Amino acid sequence: MEYGITSIGAYVPRYRLARGAIAAAHRWMAPSLSGAAKGNRAFCSWDEDAVTMAVEAGRDCLRGVGAESIGSLVLASTRLPYADLQNAVIVAGALGLRPDLVTSDVAGSQRAATTALLSVLTQGKGRTLLVASDKPHAKPASTQELYFGAGAAAVTVGEGDVIARLLGHASVAAYFVDHFRSADVETDYFWEERWVRDEGYAKIAPRAVKLALANAGVAISDIRHFVMPSLFRGAAQVVAKAVGFAGDVADGLDAECGYTGAAHPLLMLASVLAKAEAGERILLVGFGQGADALVLEASGRRMDAADWRGVDDAIADRYLTNDYLRMLSFQGDIDLEWGMRSEKAGKAALTDAYRNEHQLSHFNAGRCRACGTVQFPQMAYCVNSVCKAPSSQFDSQSLVDEPAKILTFTADWLSYHPAPPLYVGFVQFDNGARLLMEMIDAPADAIDVGVPLKMVFRIKERDAIRGFNRYFWKSTPVRI
Amino acid sequence: MATGIKDKVAIIGMGCSQFGERWDTGTDKLLAEAFDEALADAGIEREQIEAAWYGSCIDSVNVGNSAIPASVALRLDGIPVSRVENMCATGTEALRGAAYAVASGAVDIALAIGAEKLKDTGYGGLPTAYKGTFNDLWLPLGSAPAGFAQLAAGYRNKFQVSKDELKKALAHVSWKSHQNGVLSPKAHFRKEVSMETILNAPMIAEPLGLYDCSGVSDGAAAAIVTTPEIARALGKKDMVTIKAIQLAISSGVETTTNQWDGSHVRNTRTAAKRAYEEAGITNPRKQVSLMEVHDCFSITELVTMEDLFISEEGRAVRDILDGFYDREGGGVPCQVDGGLKCFGHPIAATGLRMAYENYTQLLGRAGKRQLDNPTMGLSHNLGGVPYLGIAAISILGLHS
């Protein structure tokens, strides 16, 4: 049995903003931005964060892979919602991973995910799900605002029929401050791009690359794919040239997504692995206060689950807008007049949340053994009016991947909702379960009776006073 | 075998405050307005009331929990006062409590009173309801119109009614109520509104526009009940008795199973069947003289016409557009006083306000809006949302 990457998955938010709309909004004070305003960038809806995107990438990665085989979960990000509340454990619950699980968060650097990946690939045992998820946040009118996106990628690492295996690796540490963000600040502080490129990327990354190639016993001419994300365009080409690489420099996913922070190395890798042929070597570089370099060899095996999406499908699934202010509002950069209805109390009863964690996290309905009715929520007695068996007769059945359609809906303009109108209605699952749900991330013409839906893990409500998110599942049209 | 409360309870006095934006009036004085009128109508003294049921729904902008605020406001010294709350069905729930007390023989004379002060919130529409700690963790947000608007999607889909045709019928529902509101002195809204204005109003929750939504008002209404024997002893000749009061409440079937198609309100049908049986009504389309139904939104009134078995399934659109429910349409006049749409909807007062109109019409005291010789008035209250709620029906009639 080989040991290596056994599955891959990806997620990119459906919302895309035309970069031209960003540049147009800033034309009065930063006319030079329009030169870099090509394509579209991904941005998170108000209810997405590193945790929710990690769940979606994790689900994609686990298509056709038994969730029960996962023994540990690592979550890498620089934008985790909680400073002291393990974020990975929220992801684990949503994914329905087994309870005897080792979980950890890795944070603090743009190369958090590459460091975590090489750590997992070199441990040589068990099966780990590694998810990298990030939503870098730039100041309005910065070049980063145009360049940044949002997304997540995941890999499982373990024994089996691998997609790629590790041939060698190396890391270097360097106190090189190209940018930084202190713990209580929202956006990064950047030093001059030319210096970062020439003294940082062009000198530090090659050191790690050369050591890794030596460690793997592979020459640069044996590398087919060079995968290196960077905080600005063009750095990968500079490093490729510095190490004498003449092959394909992997696409930075700039056209429809943008730079996804700590998620980007895995997202680019997932994109390359979906196409790499058997025997092709891949050089993956993560940069940030030093560099990690991993030399991988692809097996040519593909993800074969019918509902697997990967990077290309995630990027193709888009809801394009020109509403720049929508992105700013979703990111919390502007405080719009939402009216008094937005003043509602959002305090969650943590006791109740824990009591019901068994049904809320992984959207577990109860299937009544007495009559077969599938029901959510699970209450004390079966809802079937001719059954009413006690809930001790229920088996858990997750609705996460159950086919469902819209039964009723409305567009609610009255309720406070950060992405109005609130589409709300009954979701009818093919297995008989039914509940009232939000329908999100879709234009008006995509919502109608009978429209097929899929379930997505999101922030149900933010408690702005206490800074606590309630997570739950929402629905979205399978296609828009 | 239980026999129900038909003709066991007489209403001897009713009162209703002016509904509307009562900026100058607190809940205590709204209660007093309704109470004074009811006492005077009944011709009794406050001290003859032996028990009271007080309904109020939304505490966050009213006088607070319990029956204490009502007892203090009305100086109901030392008698048992119960506070009841069943969302928008609270008014009928209060009447039910008082009626059952009399029917059981526990007391001779009881008071039912409901009041709501909704215009102290600072904004239009209803405050967001607290759903409970567990529901808050999974149940989506959604305004009242969003809950009811879904009936439109379900109804259109079931009966293959086009968006335009349904919207036109909905507009007629509101247009008719505005016509009626003009003749109703205590109503919140007393202006005619054109079909064009209704059809082109801003959208609240698709397909419900502004004029598809009822008024959010301050107000109170009250009833004093006793036995028919005591009523006669008090000198009452024309007498209105309660023919039926029935409630039906969701148990989760609509929201959690695939046993409901989204096109109707299951609770209304259940409560209506029981109420007709209790009242001895076999053909409601012929036997009911007038109806005050819970037109919180126009779509609610439309489906209610079928849920009360007045219109056949799928025929409400036709009946409405034919004017069957108009004041002088030759059918069953509905919302003669303007309904929730125009009379207004101070939540806990509404069920009693409906009974007030039926009572007033049955006694021939309705002035310009008086119908010809009504004998049976039905009121229908809906609490919550169509799929998770409370249907309350009370039927009043002339005592033979």
Side-chain angles (χ1 to χ4, degrees):
Chain A
M1 292 284 268
E2 281 193 300
Y3 188 86
I5 293 173
T6 47
S7 67
I8 54 177
Y11 176 77
V12 174
R14 199 175 246 173
Y15 274 111
R16 307 299 156 77
L17 180 61
R19 291 193 177 96
I22 303 175
H26 300 309
R27 191 176 294 136
W28 64 280
M29 54 78 74
S32 63
L33 285 176
S34 60
K38 293 182 215 37
N40 308 307
R41 61 155 291 182
F43 67 102
C44 286
S45 185
W46 71 273
D47 58 358
E48 291 185 286
D49 64 11
V51 163
T52 67
M53 291 191 293
V55 171
E56 295 307 320
R59 290 172 71 194
D60 198 40
C61 188
L62 293 174
R63 300 280 178 213
V65 176
E68 66 285 349
S69 70
I70 303 298
S72 53
L73 170 69
V74 180
L75 173 61
S77 178
T78 70
R79 298 275 178 173
L80 293 169
Y82 294 108
D84 185 355
L85 190 173
Q86 196 188 59
N87 298 274
V89 85
I90 308 171
V91 176
L95 292 174
L97 301 185
R98 63 186 211 224
D100 60 330
L101 187 76
V102 180
T103 51
S104 59
D105 294 343
V106 182
S109 169
Q110 298 296 303
R111 67 182 168 106
T114 49
T115 309
L117 179 62
L118 75 83
S119 157
V120 171
L121 278 169
T122 53
Q123 76 190 15
K125 58 177 183 177
R127 176 159 292 187
T128 300
L129 173 64
L130 165 64
V131 193
S133 177
D134 225 352
K135 51 181 291 192
H137 185 182
K139 272 192 177 167
S142 62
T143 54
Q144 288 78 27
E145 188 185 36
L146 290 171
Y147 184 63
F148 284 176
V155 297
T156 56
V157 172
E159 282 189 339
D161 188 5
V162 302
I163 291 174
R165 64 191 181 98
L166 183 67
L167 300 179
H169 66 93
S171 297
V172 295
Y175 185 40
F176 177 82
V177 186
D178 57 335
H179 79 287
F180 67 93
R181 170 164 49 92
S182 58
D184 55 350
V185 169
E186 193 51 44
T187 54
D188 309 303
Y189 190 81
F190 287 87
W191 209 256
E192 186 183 357
E193 200 172 292
R194 295 170 60 80
W195 174 74
V196 174
R197 185 188 64 200
D198 296 346
E199 286 295 299
Y201 282 97
K203 290 188 178 169
I204 296 168
R207 277 187 239 150
V209 168
K210 282 168 190 165
L211 290 169
L213 289 171
N215 179 255
V218 167
I220 191 68
S221 55
D222 295 331
I223 300 293
R224 177 77 174 80
H225 305 277
F226 178 68
V227 182
M228 193 194 81
S230 57
L231 275 160
F232 46 84
R233 293 186 181 106
Q237 285 74 12
V238 171
V239 175
K241 193 175 168 193
V243 298
F245 177 73
D248 289 344
V249 174
D251 177 33
L253 310 174
D254 187 53
E256 281 290 334
C257 176
Y259 177 74
T260 63
H264 221 52
L266 282 198
L267 197 66
M268 289 174 67
L269 177 66
S271 175
V272 167
L273 283 177
K275 300 170 195 92
E277 300 296 337
E280 288 183 354
R281 273 85 185 263
I282 299 158
L283 179 58
L284 172 67
V285 180
F287 183 84
Q289 303 82 53
D292 298 314
L294 291 83
V295 181
L296 299 155
E297 183 177 85
S299 71
R301 187 170 81 73
R302 303 285 181 244
M303 294 291 285
D304 49 14
D307 49 357
W308 180 78
R309 296 207 316 167
V311 179
D312 286 359
D313 288 357
I315 285 178
D317 181 8
R318 68 170 201 183
Y319 177 8
L320 183 63
T321 171
N322 284 308
D323 299 332
Y324 172 58
L325 293 181
R326 185 188 325 223
M327 183 178 80
L328 286 195
S329 180
F330 285 0
Q331 291 180 170
D333 289 330
I334 46 169
D335 186 16
L336 299 176
E337 175 54 270
W338 291 105
M340 288 185 184
R341 285 173 197 284
S342 66
E343 293 168 4
K344 67 191 287 286
K347 184 172 171 176
L350 301 178
T351 40
D352 209 335
Y354 184 65
R355 271 201 291 281
N356 286 291
E357 205 260 341
H358 67 284
Q359 54 176 328
L360 295 171
S361 293
H362 195 44
F363 206 177
N364 283 330
R367 186 179 186 285
C368 179
R369 284 194 293 276
C371 72
T373 301
V374 183
Q375 52 207 280
F376 186 95
Q378 302 181 44
M379 306 295 281
Y381 301 102
C382 176
V383 68
N384 180 350
S385 56
V386 295
C387 176
K388 297 173 187 167
S391 59
S392 57
Q393 295 296 304
F394 294 173
D395 292 323
S396 250
Q397 182 173 334
S398 177
L399 298 176
V400 163
D401 289 315
E402 284 295 326
K405 294 186 186 67
I406 297 178
L407 177 76
T408 63
F409 75 97
T410 186
D412 182 0
W413 288 97
L414 188 63
S415 292
Y416 163 64
H417 192 257
L422 162 65
Y423 287 100
V424 61
F426 277 99
V427 173
Q428 180 64 55
F429 291 84
D430 289 1
N431 67 9
R434 167 188 294 185
L435 66 150
L436 197 69
M437 294 185 82
E438 279 187 46
M439 295 149 189
I440 58 166
D441 290 359
D445 61 6
I447 306 273
D448 206 351
V449 172
V451 162
L453 298 169
K454 61 180 178 179
M455 304 301 122
V456 289
F457 189 71
R458 294 297 174 98
I459 296 168
K460 183 188 177 297
E461 207 168 339
R462 282 184 194 282
D463 176 352
I465 295 171
R466 298 162 200 87
F468 186 77
N469 295 332
R470 295 175 203 186
Y471 293 95
F472 188 61
W473 296 83
K474 300 182 183 178
S475 68
T476 187
V478 172
R479 279 171 297 279
I480 57 166
Chain B
M1 185 68 184
T3 53
I5 62 164
K6 183 184 180 185
D7 291 331
K8 293 177 182 168
V9 181
I11 300 181
I12 53 168
M14 287 204 77
C16 183
S17 76
Q18 177 71 47
F19 278 23
E21 291 167 332
R22 300 292 304 271
W23 307 119
D24 60 337
T25 306
T27 306
D28 59 331
K29 290 197 174 134
L30 290 172
L31 284 165
E33 264 183 57
F35 183 62
D36 288 346
E37 185 185 344
L39 267 188
D41 181 24
I44 62 166
E45 299 300 318
R46 180 191 266 104
E47 285 65 32
Q48 290 174 265
I49 296 169
E50 295 166 86
W53 273 259
Y54 159 63
S56 70
C57 183
I58 300 179
D59 260 348
S60 54
V61 287
N62 206 337
V63 284
N65 261 325
S66 90
I68 298 167
S71 189
V72 169
L74 302 178
R75 308 297 186 207
L76 300 173
D77 192 28
I79 67 165
V81 185
S82 303
R83 186 254 173 134
V84 293
E85 187 278 305
N86 231 345
M87 291 183 155
C88 299
T90 297
T92 303
E93 187 69 278
L95 179 62
R96 181 165 165 267
Y100 278 17
V102 166
S104 73
V107 298
D108 283 338
I109 298 179
L111 167 73
I113 189 160
E116 208 77 41
K117 188 86 184 92
L118 295 174
K119 296 310 299 178
D120 282 351
T121 56
Y123 54 89
L126 296 177
T128 309
Y130 168 65
K131 299 192 292 276
T133 53
F134 175 57
N135 285 340
D136 265 351
L137 296 169
W138 68 274
L139 198 62
L141 298 167
S143 60
F148 285 90
Q150 290 174 62
L151 286 169
Y155 191 91
R156 283 193 307 246
N157 195 48
K158 180 170 184 185
F159 297 110
Q160 294 301 302
V161 180
S162 72
K163 281 191 174 181
D164 282 352
E165 196 183 3
L166 186 65
K167 182 77 181 167
K168 210 185 296 171
L170 296 179
H172 187 100
V173 165
S174 299
W175 172 85
K176 167 266 301 163
S177 295
H178 272 280
Q179 295 282 312
N180 293 345
V182 173
L183 302 174
S184 199
K186 288 181 177 175
H188 185 166
F189 299 108
R190 301 194 57 207
K191 274 189 186 153
E192 289 185 30
V193 177
S194 73
M195 285 288 282
E196 197 191 359
T197 303
I198 294 168
L199 286 167
N200 295 313
M203 202 53 83
I204 303 294
E206 195 281 331
L208 305 176
L210 183 64
Y211 287 97
D212 292 295
C213 306
S214 67
V216 171
S217 329
D218 303 326
I224 294 170
V225 293
T226 186
T227 63
E229 296 71 31
I230 295 170
R232 225 169 270 121
L234 287 168
K236 301 289 175 186
K237 291 194 179 65
D238 293 336
M239 200 191 304
V240 171
T241 51
I242 296 173
K243 306 295 181 186
I245 301 183
Q246 289 294 337
L247 257 68
I249 298 184
S250 299
S251 69
V253 169
E254 303 96 311
T255 45
T256 316
T257 76
N258 53 12
Q259 303 297 302
W260 175 67
D261 61 15
S263 73
H264 66 279
V265 180
R266 190 171 174 264
N267 290 326
T268 299
R269 294 183 179 196
T270 309
K273 278 180 199 157
R274 276 210 303 267
Y276 292 146
E277 195 184 333
E278 187 173 29
I281 291 173
T282 50
N283 184 348
R285 194 172 166 104
K286 294 272 179 268
Q287 289 170 269
V288 173
S289 319
L290 76 152
M291 297 188 292
E292 290 290 328
V293 305
H294 203 85
D295 59 329
C296 48
F297 304 98
S298 53
I299 185 67
T300 325
E301 182 169 327
L302 185 144
V303 303
T304 298
M305 298 303 102
E306 296 179 16
D307 295 340
L308 291 174
F309 310 105
I310 309 287
S311 287
E312 285 174 28
E313 263 200 39
R315 289 284 304 170
V317 168
R318 206 61 268 147
D319 278 345
I320 285 166
L321 291 172
D322 288 347
F324 184 82
Y325 298 107
D326 294 357
R327 220 176 76 80
E328 287 165 0
V332 185
C334 190
Q335 323 299 68
V336 184
D337 65 355
L340 277 68
K341 176 77 203 75
C342 295
F343 206 99
H345 183 29
I347 301 174
T350 286
L352 285 160
R353 183 276 300 163
M354 294 170 166
Y356 178 81
E357 178 64 10
N358 285 330
Y359 171 85
T360 305
Q361 289 280 353
L362 289 168
L363 292 178
R365 303 175 182 169
K368 285 184 184 166
R369 63 179 193 286
Q370 180 63 46
L371 302 171
D372 289 340
N373 304 313
T375 55
M376 196 80 83
L378 180 148
S379 60
H380 160 261
N381 238 189
L382 267 189
V385 276
Y387 38 82
L388 192 65
I390 303 134
I393 290 171
S394 77
I395 299 173
L396 306 184
L398 284 171
H399 195 50
S400 47

